[in-house]
Amino acid sequence: MAVGACYQTIGIFQSHSFHNNFNHHQKLQNNLLKFVTKDFININGLSSRGSYHPGQRNCGIIRSSASQTSLVDPVSSPSRSDTGETNKKSSEAALILIRHGESLWNEKNLFTGCVDVPLSKKGIDEAIEAGKRISSIPVDVIFTSALIRAQMTAMLAMTQHRRKKVPVFMHNESEQARAWSQVFSEDTKKQSIPVIASWQLNERMYGELQGLDKKETADRYGKEQVHVWRRSYDIPPPNGESLEMCAERAVAYFRDQIEPQLLSGKNVMIAAHGNSLRSIIMYLDKLTSQEVISLELSTGIPMLYILKEGRFIRRGSPAGPSEAGVYAYTRRLALYRQKLDEMFQ
């Protein structure tokens, strides 16, 4: 019953952007991927418009207008100065990466790719456990893919956060969607976290393998061929994406839309997928194409990075223990945790 209620609750958050981009994925025939998208991030008066073009960077930052207030609460974040100068560049910001929990197709051992499949019961439990592991780390803005399993993971994880802020999806499909989803209470805005869903963070599109049983596919095409499709860097499955193609869109989006938020001092959580997150980690850790193909990310295990003085530093590993305090806290994060202890003791 609890699982059913969870599906019903989380389901209302699912973004329409995946469906709006379905025709894009159909254009992967002959392994040609055309990136044509416009992303609008409008947070009730906090707006940044960015258009993605390969090779072009547009580093828009969510900013506050004179008449409206940010959903980000500057008081709760350790990256803000005591004087409240929220526009001053911070010397440190936290980045949390979470691969979604087990999906129903993971459970059935099927290739999933960009098919929009929800979490399994185990995946729900993994997402909740992930939330416990990041419950004392500040989160100012959340990015997810357009797929429900990543969105469920983010929402369930945030139910465990000690700050008890409410994640609110930003709907930018149309002017009407933006108008109808506005929040008019300043107090409510301060207790909310903006959530931005983007198809660029979607899992790698597995083409004609999507929905096939992995064992049966290996029996049909041979284990070596399937291994090449799954683990090579630049060889895609039939009419699908290679890791290289996935990395092109995911890293471009990270650099254009997410990294500027971190540089401005905001603490960011990304809930996404194995291949889109491997692509981002390749960028953060400066991995080679050979190193990234051997990188394994466990479902529901958060990884923490700190952006400090323009450099990303990994503070927690997917292979870390499940106990609380797995991360090597910085002084700022320790002060934030101490503040939470004082607030909720």
Side-chain angles (χ1 to χ4, degrees):
M1 185 171 180
V3 176
C6 171
Y7 284 137
Q8 184 177 12
T9 303
I10 300 299
I12 66 173
F13 292 113
Q14 186 171 9
S15 168
H16 296 297
S17 58
F18 171 75
H19 304 290
N20 291 341
N21 287 285
F22 179 75
N23 289 333
H24 163 83
H25 294 298
Q26 289 183 320
K27 294 179 181 179
L28 281 164
Q29 300 297 321
N30 302 319
N31 300 325
L32 295 176
L33 184 61
K34 296 181 179 179
F35 295 98
V36 182
T37 183
K38 289 187 178 180
D39 299 298
F40 293 84
I41 303 175
N42 187 323
I43 305 185
N44 299 331
L46 307 167
S47 64
S48 169
R49 175 173 177 172
S51 300
Y52 169 62
H53 302 283
Q56 175 180 326
R57 295 184 63 183
N58 182 6
C59 298
I61 299 174
I62 298 174
R63 300 186 185 279
S64 176
S65 68
S67 61
Q68 293 178 292
T69 305
S70 170
L71 286 180
V72 177
D73 178 7
V75 177
S76 70
S77 168
S79 64
R80 310 298 185 192
S81 67
D82 292 337
T83 61
E85 293 177 88
T86 57
N87 289 329
K88 184 178 180 180
K89 182 183 285 189
S90 170
S91 61
E92 180 179 308
L95 170 63
I96 302 167
L97 306 179
I98 305 179
R99 182 186 176 189
H100 67 80
E102 181 191 73
S103 74
L104 288 172
W105 276 16
N106 292 147
E107 184 180 55
K108 294 179 179 294
N109 200 36
L110 304 180
F111 285 103
T112 309
C114 284
V115 180
D116 210 358
V117 178
L119 297 179
S120 66
K121 167 111 179 25
K122 179 183 176 182
I124 291 172
D125 292 340
E126 288 176 333
I128 291 171
E129 178 62 26
K132 293 176 181 177
R133 292 164 63 96
I134 62 168
S135 62
S136 294
I137 299 174
V139 177
D140 296 321
V141 59
I142 299 170
F143 288 86
T144 78
S145 76
L147 301 175
I148 190 64
R149 56 191 184 273
Q151 296 179 11
M152 288 178 70
T153 298
M155 299 303 97
L156 289 166
M158 290 309 296
T159 65
Q160 304 302 305
H161 202 279
R162 297 173 67 193
R163 194 67 180 82
K164 299 302 180 186
K165 288 190 174 185
V166 177
V168 178
F169 272 84
M170 301 296 101
H171 284 283
N172 301 292
E173 306 90 78
S174 64
E175 289 295 334
Q176 184 182 65
R178 280 189 285 277
W180 283 22
S181 61
Q182 286 188 63
V183 177
F184 293 95
S185 165
E186 299 302 320
D187 289 339
T188 300
K189 289 178 184 179
K190 290 177 182 178
Q191 295 304 315
S192 304
I193 299 176
V195 183
I196 300 162
S198 173
W199 71 267
Q200 287 96 327
L201 297 175
N202 280 9
E203 178 56 287
R204 177 157 74 106
M205 211 285 269
Y206 268 92
E208 295 174 13
L209 300 186
Q210 291 184 167
L212 300 185
D213 182 275
K214 292 178 181 178
K215 184 180 182 304
E216 292 177 0
T217 304
D219 291 341
R220 178 180 177 183
Y221 295 102
K223 291 182 180 179
E224 289 186 8
Q225 179 61 69
V226 173
H227 182 78
V228 167
W229 286 334
R230 296 187 66 188
R231 287 293 179 251
S232 63
Y233 182 69
D234 56 0
I235 301 176
N239 293 315
E241 282 185 304
S242 64
L243 177 56
E244 182 180 34
M245 296 162 75
C246 177
E248 183 177 356
R249 58 172 165 85
V251 173
Y253 184 81
F254 180 87
R255 294 176 64 189
D256 291 349
Q257 303 298 333
I258 301 177
E259 193 169 8
Q261 307 301 326
L262 293 159
L263 290 170
S264 73
K266 291 184 175 67
N267 302 288
V268 175
M269 182 174 86
I270 304 175
H273 307 265
N275 284 295
S276 55
L277 289 177
R278 286 163 72 201
S279 300
I280 291 170
I281 291 170
M282 180 184 181
Y283 170 70
L284 298 177
D285 290 349
K286 296 179 171 56
L287 302 179
T288 66
S289 59
Q290 288 304 306
E291 289 171 329
V292 72
I293 60 176
S294 61
L295 178 64
E296 293 291 341
L297 300 178
S298 301
T299 54
I301 303 294
M303 178 185 285
L304 174 67
Y305 283 83
I306 299 296
L307 175 61
K308 189 169 184 177
E309 298 176 354
R311 208 162 127 269
F312 286 100
I313 306 166
R314 188 192 296 187
R315 307 292 293 203
S317 167
S322 59
E323 304 89 30
V326 58
Y327 305 110
Y329 274 60
T330 63
R331 182 175 181 274
R332 285 178 181 270
L333 292 185
L335 288 174
Y336 179 81
R337 186 172 182 174
Q338 180 181 346
K339 182 179 177 181
L340 290 179
D341 290 341
E342 293 169 355
M343 287 176 62
F344 301 112
Q345 64 182 3

